[in-house]
Amino acid sequence: MKAARLHEFGGDFVVEEVPTPEPGAGEVRVRVGGSGACHSDLHVRAGEIPVHLPALLGHENAGWVDAIGPGAEGFEIGEPVVVFGGWGCGRCRVCLGGQEQLCDTMRWGGIGPDGGYADYMVVPSTRHLLAAGDLDPALAAPLTDAALTPYSAVKKALPRLVPGTTAVLVGAGGLGQYGLQFLKLLSPATVVVVDSSADKRRLALELGADQVVDPADADAMEQIKAASHGEGAAVALDFVGADATMRLGASSLGPQGLFVLVGLAGGSFPFSFFSLPVQATLTSSSWGSRNELEEVLAMARTGRLVSTIERYPLGEINDVFARLAAGQVQGRAVLIP
Ligand SMILES: [Zn+2]
Ligand SMILES: [Zn+2]
């Protein structure tokens, strides 16, 4: 089969012929219909996330069941499927609780085990497959991370977002745009989007933001406080994760507010009694669960989720990653083998 593999950190992907993998006991081979080109893979390519070389990346996948290993049950050959990428051990406390993406083993399909930048990929268990139904695989693939990750973050916030409250969302890039949509679709809160890009602020307004704020404005914090009727936000979601965005997000909270860190920029924020609104809660949110992916797919099927994708042949993977690195991809780039 054709695969795009990474042979050295910092190098280009090499599109080459490799043996088509055979599914073992309990495993399923999926013919890849689309694999989302994710920003995380820029970090993997740079060697910041350790994987074995040569590495076959691609952790946002959908396609069709192509071959079924001995004992694997529940799916038919040819059935369209979405691949849940958080492959945990299946036996520990978090896995048994349905949160396999948080398992210590960190076996993520496409970051470690071979992923979907190829004609085919092997999924180690049918429990990682969800029926795609009539969702286009190229559209469904990025939902497994680009939509699932913000969905899981927003779900953590939903119990606090009662009528009259305000949510602050920092960073309206690919994930933030989904986060904004979930906030507007699932909560009655006023949603304030903070982004330094005028284009992103305009797009956020189109996607339903109640107010947008340029963090470069001298009175940015006053604008946020005014939007929350002076009481501060009930929730702040940071899709950037830099020092400045974390400080801004946490400072926008009211008493007992919740700060959810999603972005991987690696920033930090001092935690002390007086550095935060009283009894604020800080947490991070990493990917999402299989149940949450099922919920995201259900929402996609309603047609109310706006997803912008750009399709590229797998052979153009190096051009796609160059454009990703340069911030030139508008929605989500999906590689089609
Ligand atoms: Zn991803
Ligand atoms: Zn586990």
Side-chain angles (χ1 to χ4, degrees):
M1 69 170 182
K2 190 170 63 200
R5 298 197 302 176
L6 191 66
H7 286 257
E8 55 175 335
F9 293 120
D12 277 343
F13 292 95
V14 179
V15 181
E16 57 192 336
E17 278 297 319
V18 301
T20 301
E22 291 300 326
E27 298 179 338
V28 173
R29 183 170 69 211
V30 171
R31 177 161 68 87
V32 178
S35 188
C38 182
H39 260 96
S40 317
D41 285 343
L42 287 171
H43 297 286
V44 180
R45 190 178 65 169
E48 294 161 20
I49 299 171
V51 294
H52 266 292
L53 296 176
L56 210 178
L57 308 180
H59 59 270
E60 305 181 352
N61 303 298
W64 301 271
V65 171
D66 180 70
I68 296 175
E73 288 179 348
F75 288 87
E76 306 284 330
I77 303 250
E79 191 170 345
V81 287
V82 174
V83 180
F84 173 72
W87 302 344
C89 72
R91 291 183 298 272
C92 74
R93 188 185 298 273
V94 290
C95 283
L96 292 173
Q99 302 282 335
E100 288 204 38
Q101 78 283 2
L102 304 181
C103 179
D104 263 352
T105 55
M106 291 275 286
R107 274 176 51 84
W108 287 357
I111 305 179
D114 285 353
Y117 295 162
D119 289 326
Y120 301 95
M121 69 181 289
V122 165
V123 177
S125 167
T126 52
R127 75 175 188 273
H128 304 310
L129 297 178
L130 288 78
D134 51 11
L135 284 176
D136 172 358
L139 201 74
L143 296 178
T144 65
D145 180 12
L148 174 59
T149 296
Y151 179 74
S152 186
V154 166
K155 255 194 110 173
K156 292 174 176 68
L158 285 181
R160 292 160 179 262
L161 296 177
V162 296
T165 57
T166 300
V168 170
L169 185 154
V170 186
L175 270 66
Q177 289 162 25
Y178 278 114
L180 164 60
Q181 294 185 69
F182 290 129
L183 284 169
K184 290 306 294 181
L185 287 165
L186 300 172
S187 92
T190 297
V191 180
V192 179
V193 172
V194 182
D195 199 294
S196 53
S197 150
D199 282 348
K200 300 249 174 68
R201 292 197 300 276
R202 190 159 45 241
L203 185 58
L205 287 170
E206 285 170 21
L207 290 173
D210 296 291
Q211 190 174 336
V212 292
V213 173
D214 181 351
D217 287 353
D219 65 343
M221 190 51 70
E222 284 76 22
Q223 293 179 45
I224 294 170
K225 283 269 147 88
S228 59
H229 317 292
E231 70 179 32
V235 171
L237 300 146
D238 183 357
F239 285 93
V240 182
D243 290 357
T245 59
M246 292 178 71
R247 196 179 320 114
L248 183 138
S251 310
S252 70
L253 295 175
Q256 297 182 304
L258 170 69
F259 176 81
V260 185
L261 173 61
V262 186
L264 300 178
S268 61
F269 177 81
F271 174 48
S272 70
F273 201 94
F274 297 109
S275 71
L276 287 163
V278 64
Q279 288 192 207
T281 303
L282 306 180
T283 188
S284 57
S285 192
S286 178
W287 215 342
S289 71
R290 195 168 52 239
N291 277 349
E292 287 169 337
L293 178 54
E294 191 68 68
E295 292 160 22
V296 167
L297 298 180
M299 184 156 284
R301 289 190 189 100
T302 67
R304 289 192 297 166
L305 207 55
V306 178
S307 297
T308 313
I309 60 164
E310 303 174 11
R311 297 164 202 255
Y312 297 94
L314 179 61
E316 292 179 18
I317 185 169
N318 288 310
D319 295 335
V320 169
F321 272 87
R323 298 192 53 212
L324 257 187
Q328 291 168 347
V329 177
Q330 290 309 318
R332 203 67 171 174
V334 180
L335 296 166
I336 315 286

